Amino acid sequence: MRNLDYGEKEISYLSKKDKKLGKLIEDTGFLECKVSEDLFDSLVGYIATQQISNRAAETVSMRMSLKFGIVTPEKIASLPDEEIKSVGISMKKVQYIKGLSEAVLSGRLDVEGLAGLPDENVASQLTSIRGIGDWTAEMFLIFSLGRPDIVSYKDFAIRKGIMSLYGLKDLDRGTFEKYRKRYSPYGTIASLYLWHLSENGG
């Protein structure tokens, strides 16, 4: 793993663009973000942990790592469905993971090649695979490719963080987009602080 590459330039930009976010950054201090360099393995992890709590996701991730190590398309294709399911995921997610493996093995999806594509192309290719939605694609962009400008509307904790930071009772897509554009081109760094605020009682 490597760290997401950001520093004073990005923090200074966000602080000047948004005083409330700047205060949050100042109060919080520097947040480290690990980026996985094994693209297929990490993508399988995002599918396995989508739509569950952080605690449940940590448990599933730990079980997968202990049971299978780094997963490859070939390894997934060779495993019985029940063995994958035994880490604590639904059979539907097992089928999604198997489908991803088949897409890579058939050449329909070049996971390694995604690293050379713009964000929008990465997202469109990933969401063409059954079981991969916007949230999973956005987590891949942040935590596997280290892209600097991702703020996920589909992520509950991000929405919660924005509402907490600005004192909002709800957050429609239009209001979200206003903030997302304000944070650009360093939306990912803003996301780190919004997650932190959400997870720490913000």
Side-chain angles (χ1 to χ4, degrees):
M1 285 199 174
R2 63 182 174 88
N3 287 324
L4 182 69
D5 185 20
Y6 80 97
E8 187 56 40
K9 179 181 75 171
E10 292 82 1
I11 287 173
S12 177
Y13 177 89
L14 290 170
S15 298
K16 288 175 182 175
K17 290 285 284 188
D18 190 295
K19 289 183 179 179
K20 288 188 175 181
L21 180 59
K23 182 70 164 58
L24 173 62
I25 291 171
E26 182 182 355
D27 291 346
T28 303
F30 183 80
L31 291 174
E32 194 174 83
C33 175
K34 293 293 185 183
V35 177
S36 173
E37 294 179 295
D38 195 300
L39 302 186
F40 180 83
D41 179 77
S42 63
L43 187 53
V44 168
Y46 306 139
I47 294 172
T49 57
Q50 62 191 4
Q51 298 179 322
I52 59 177
S53 70
N54 285 345
R55 181 173 292 183
E58 288 171 4
T59 299
V60 168
S61 296
M62 181 180 68
R63 287 174 180 168
M64 288 190 73
S65 179
L66 289 172
K67 193 174 184 69
F68 305 125
I70 299 294
V71 296
T72 63
E74 293 80 7
K75 185 182 288 188
I76 290 294
S78 71
L79 290 170
D81 291 357
E82 287 296 334
E83 190 169 352
I84 301 174
K85 184 175 182 288
S86 70
V87 300
I89 63 174
S90 67
M91 188 55 74
K92 183 177 285 187
K93 285 185 178 180
V94 172
Q95 295 306 317
Y96 293 159
I97 290 168
K98 285 274 190 171
L100 170 64
S101 173
E102 290 165 8
V104 173
L105 292 172
S106 70
R108 185 159 65 90
L109 178 68
D110 177 10
V111 175
E112 298 302 321
L114 294 174
L117 300 178
D119 295 350
E120 297 78 9
N121 296 62
V122 173
S124 65
Q125 288 206 27
L126 287 179
T127 54
S128 71
I129 305 297
R130 184 168 173 264
I132 297 181
D134 292 338
W135 180 86
T136 303
E138 287 161 341
M139 295 308 102
F140 181 82
L141 283 163
I142 293 174
F143 296 109
S144 295
L145 298 185
R147 297 296 171 86
D149 196 19
I150 306 297
V151 187
S152 175
Y153 182 72
K154 294 294 180 70
D155 191 281
F156 173 75
I158 289 288
R159 298 198 308 274
K160 180 183 172 186
I162 290 174
M163 288 189 288
S164 176
L165 186 61
Y166 303 106
L168 305 174
K169 291 185 178 179
D170 53 44
L171 182 66
D172 59 45
R173 189 62 184 255
T175 304
F176 170 84
E177 285 297 322
K178 179 183 76 173
Y179 291 116
R180 187 189 65 77
K181 290 175 182 175
R182 183 184 297 178
Y183 305 148
S184 186
Y186 303 123
T188 297
I189 290 82
S191 292
L192 299 182
Y193 287 90
L194 293 169
W195 270 317
H196 178 83
L197 178 62
S198 178
E199 290 166 5
N200 289 274

